[in-house]
Amino acid sequence: MRKRPVLVCVTAQSSCDVLVEKGRVIAEKLGAPLEVVSVQSVDMTALQRADALDTLYAISKKSSADIVVYYNNDPAETVSLHAKRSKACYIITGLPRISSNGFASKLKSMLKDIPVIAVDENYVFSDYQIRGAGKKIAAGLNA
């Protein structure tokens, strides 16, 4: 039986490698597989899609993570469905900015049983929903 994966939600920016690295550490501590998930706009041109896929592949390859790319204009719903299907044990996101579209908070409301952990550019965890072993993992990573 396949273990429950740690999902890392990324955009197609090279700075997302910080998120993937934190996800890799958590997955390694749990003995879980790592999946990088990206939801791209359906309105992207072929060139934009190619550039995004190149970036996402490079980020995932560094951490030996599987990558899943969706094209949809509702990223929270798409990731929520993927997380439920894959039976994810954790979801890693970027720390929401003031101008955020509410992605992380939408995920939290849709996925009450899956902890959503946010990471900021300083590589520090912010807990949305960290319980039990998750607290110990996050504390160990922030030390």
Side-chain angles (χ1 to χ4, degrees):
M1 187 166 122
R2 185 173 187 255
K3 286 195 164 205
R4 296 173 62 194
V6 171
L7 302 184
V8 181
C9 301
V10 299
T11 60
Q13 299 172 354
S14 59
S15 61
C16 290
D17 59 348
V18 171
L19 300 176
V20 175
E21 177 58 20
K22 278 292 193 179
R24 184 196 63 76
V25 172
I26 291 172
E28 192 173 277
K29 286 182 180 280
L30 294 172
L34 177 64
E35 281 187 16
V36 173
V37 180
S38 183
V39 181
Q40 303 293 312
S41 170
V42 296
D43 301 324
M44 293 174 76
T45 66
L47 182 58
Q48 289 170 322
R49 286 181 185 208
D51 287 345
L53 288 172
D54 284 345
T55 301
L56 292 168
Y57 178 74
I59 290 169
S60 300
K61 186 177 178 182
K62 285 182 197 175
S63 296
S64 300
D66 289 336
I67 183 166
V68 179
V69 179
Y70 292 100
Y71 294 96
N72 192 298
N73 288 333
D74 190 346
E77 179 68 23
T78 304
V79 170
S80 173
L81 290 171
H82 180 80
K84 289 174 185 174
R85 276 195 303 260
S86 68
K87 297 181 172 60
C89 60
Y90 286 93
I91 298 175
I92 311 298
T93 71
L95 191 64
R97 307 219 185 280
I98 292 171
S99 61
S100 169
N101 63 4
F103 173 77
S105 59
K106 287 176 189 174
L107 269 182
K108 181 184 174 197
S109 69
M110 292 179 195
L111 300 168
K112 303 232 186 277
D113 296 330
I114 302 174
V116 177
I117 303 170
V119 180
D120 73 7
E121 64 275 358
N122 294 317
Y123 216 52
V124 177
F125 276 95
S126 170
D127 65 334
Y128 270 102
Q129 185 181 350
I130 305 175
R131 296 185 299 259
K135 287 182 183 176
K136 293 176 188 170
I137 290 169
L141 292 171
N142 283 326

